[in-house]
Structure formats: structure tokens, C-alpha cells
Amino acid sequence: MREGIVMRKLALVTGGNTGIGRVLALAFAKAGHDVAFSWVSRPDMAESLVAEIEARGVSAMGLPCDVGVEAEVLAFFDAAERQFERAPDILVNNAGIQTWAPLLDLDESDWDAVIRTNLKGTFLNTREAGRRMVAAGKGGAIVNIGSGCNKLAFPNLVDYTASKGGIEQFTKSAAVELGHHGIRVNCVAPGAIINERTVAEAPDYAASWSAITPLRRVGTADDIVGPVLFLAGENAAFVTGQTLWVDGGVFTQANWPQR
Ligand code: NDP
């Protein structure tokens, strides 16, 4: 094990207020790292997350920042660097949205919003983290949150699938370009993860996804923590450009006719 002693680092998480992002922000704090996170709505959630992170004995910053707007991303990184007096060591590109429509009915505005948030947001935050990591000269780790849509076509999720497929390829390009700076870029692709959002979208979410998942359950945000911390940490020091499927096997299984 390389991680007997954990060095205190600065971890940035986009879209930290809710769901997977919130659990990841708390997990980095529990691992002894300072945490900065971005959010767009619900300042009360941001305030309570800062308090929960700081209760773990590390420092926290939550800043409103739309990941798809360059000026806001620059301001987020500037504020984090000012508060923590260091460049980021870890970035998790977690912020993401979904809209649902068949291709022929998909609105341009939905397409733009999803691509801007999920794909452009990943680009803008990675570019900014990468610039600062390179300037600091101490390497870094970036983990992008993908989805089964990285490799499969899901019904009524054309824009989301295009954005996550883009993240799959962006991860590889960024890993290749940033590798010689000691910056690793990987992707974690969750399967069906139960949370407020997914249950609101489908009340029978747990039952329907458990039935088709080889491990016969849905995941929780806690299932994402270990894989993200692994890819962000020294135990993955020689791992870059990879996607780790954290999905109970659901997207490994072939769509096979019943016998
Ligand atoms: P949530 O909706 O709970 O979390 C998404 C977060 O992203 C919210 O906190 C939201 O902030 C934030 N966000 C949205 N738009 C922006 C923006 N423009 N700028 C900054 N933050 C923004 O969903 P999940 O936790 O489920 O999703 C997290 C990630 O995991 C996403 O990338 C999603 O695609 C991925 N994923 C989730 C799966 C699941 O089953 N849950 C499966 C596969 C992938 P706010 O609340 O302030 O609007």
C-alpha cells in the first residue's frame, strides 16, 4: 500500500450540493483533504455541506458556479486557490443534468443545456485544473463522472448519451496530453444509483434496475466513493485514460434473446 500516510490535498468537486457529488465531497473530507465544491441552486444545501465537511476537521469552500460558463469556472478556481493558498491536487467533474426526449422531439435548448453542462463543463474545469496543476508542478488527478451512456445508446437520452460519450473520449485525450505533467485523468461510470433525482424520475427505480443488474441491486452514492478515491489517489499512480465501470455488471451484460 502506498497510502499509509495520507497527505492533505485540495480536492475540487463540481456539483457538490446533492447526490453523488455531495457524498464524494464528504468522502474526500473524511480522507483528510480540504474540499472546494461548486453548485448552482440551493444555497442552504451548500451551507450545510460546508459545515459537514468542516466537522471532519478540514477546510471547505462552496461557491455558486455554473460549470458551463468560463468566467464562473475561472472565478471558482481563483477563489479556491486564494482560500487554500495552493493549486488543486484533485478534480472530480461530477456536475451533470439529463433531459428526456426522443431524437425527433429533442429541443435545441435541451441539447445545448446538456452538452454545455456535462461536456463543456468537464472541459472547462479540466482545462483550468490542468493549467494550475502544471504551473504548480506537482501533478494531479482528475476523475470524470461518466455513465452507461459512455458506451451504450439509452432510449430518449440522445443529448445525455452524446455528452457522456464525449466524456469517454475527452478522458482519453486529456490523459494523453497531460500525462507528461504527471496529471492522470480517468473516468468512473456509475450504473443505476439510487438517489433523490433518480427516484423522482422513476418511482420503481430500485426494483426495475435491480432486476436487470447482475449483482441484483441498485448502487448508492457510497458505492462510487471507493473507485473515485482509488483513481484520485496514489494507489492508482500508474493508471490513466481509463474508465472504471461501477455498475454491478449491468452494462457488461449483452442484450441477448431469451432462450
Ligand atoms: P444530482 O442531480 O443529485 O446531482 C447533480 C449535481 O450537479 C447537482 O448538485 C446540481 O446542482 C449540479 N449541477 C447541475 N448543473 C450544474 C451546473 N451547470 N454547474 C454546476 N453544478 C451543476 O444527480 P446525481 O448525483 O445522480 O448525478 C451526479 C453525476 O453522476 C452526474 O454527472 C450524472 O450524470 C452521473 N450519473 C448518475 C447516475 C445515477 O444513477 N444517479 C448514473 C450515471 C451517472 P444544483 O442542485 O445546485 O442544481
Side-chain angles (χ1 to χ4, degrees):
M1 287 285 282
R2 291 166 185 260
E3 286 185 307
I5 301 167
V6 175
M7 271 176 50
R8 187 158 170 166
K9 295 181 174 174
L10 173 58
L12 269 51
V13 179
T14 67
N17 254 1
T18 64
I20 293 170
R22 189 175 184 98
V23 171
L24 289 175
L26 289 168
F28 280 115
K30 196 173 165 204
H33 304 311
D34 295 324
V35 180
F37 63 91
S38 56
W39 52 278
V40 283
S41 56
R42 302 172 71 178
D44 54 318
M45 295 288 284
E47 208 174 302
S48 67
L49 181 55
V50 166
E52 283 181 53
I53 291 171
E54 289 184 340
R56 285 161 171 76
V58 296
S59 301
M61 187 199 84
L63 203 75
C65 163
D66 184 330
V67 290
V69 177
E70 184 179 46
E72 293 187 25
V73 172
L74 298 190
F76 171 63
F77 278 80
D78 280 345
E81 206 159 325
R82 247 192 334 271
Q83 173 159 335
F84 297 98
E85 296 179 335
R86 62 184 295 160
D89 304 282
I90 296 163
L91 166 69
V92 181
N93 283 305
N94 163 78
I97 57 170
Q98 272 181 351
T99 67
W100 299 86
L103 171 59
L104 301 186
D105 298 330
L106 180 59
D107 287 339
E108 182 184 8
S109 60
D110 281 354
W111 171 272
D112 285 346
V114 169
I115 299 295
R116 192 179 62 77
T117 304
N118 301 5
L119 187 54
K120 185 179 175 189
T122 297
F123 153 63
L124 288 174
N125 281 268
T126 298
R127 188 183 66 179
E128 202 49 34
R131 284 174 173 168
R132 289 164 197 252
M133 288 170 178
V134 169
K138 56 185 177 143
I142 297 172
V143 182
N144 300 323
I145 303 298
S147 145
C149 294
N150 281 38
K151 63 174 173 181
L152 296 173
F154 283 23
N156 299 324
L157 280 172
V158 184
D159 46 1
Y160 184 77
T161 303
S163 75
K164 294 294 184 176
I167 286 173
E168 174 79 12
Q169 290 301 98
F170 177 79
T171 299
K172 294 177 197 169
S173 292
V176 169
E177 285 211 18
L178 300 179
H180 70 284
H181 295 291
I183 301 169
R184 298 179 299 101
V185 187
N186 290 289
C187 178
V188 164
I193 304 299
I194 193 153
N195 62 23
E196 214 177 296
R197 178 179 65 80
T198 50
V199 169
E201 281 167 7
D204 65 341
Y205 188 83
S208 53
W209 279 96
S210 299
I212 59 164
T213 298
L215 289 182
R216 290 293 179 267
R217 68 172 177 89
V218 286
T220 66
D222 287 331
D223 288 310
I224 308 302
V225 166
V228 169
L229 261 60
F230 164 68
L231 289 172
E234 292 306 306
N235 285 327
F238 204 46
V239 181
T240 198
Q242 302 303 304
T243 293
L244 181 51
W245 301 92
V246 185
D247 65 354
V250 67
F251 303 129
T252 294
Q253 173 171 260
N255 186 11
W256 196 257
Q258 295 294 324
R259 288 173 200 263

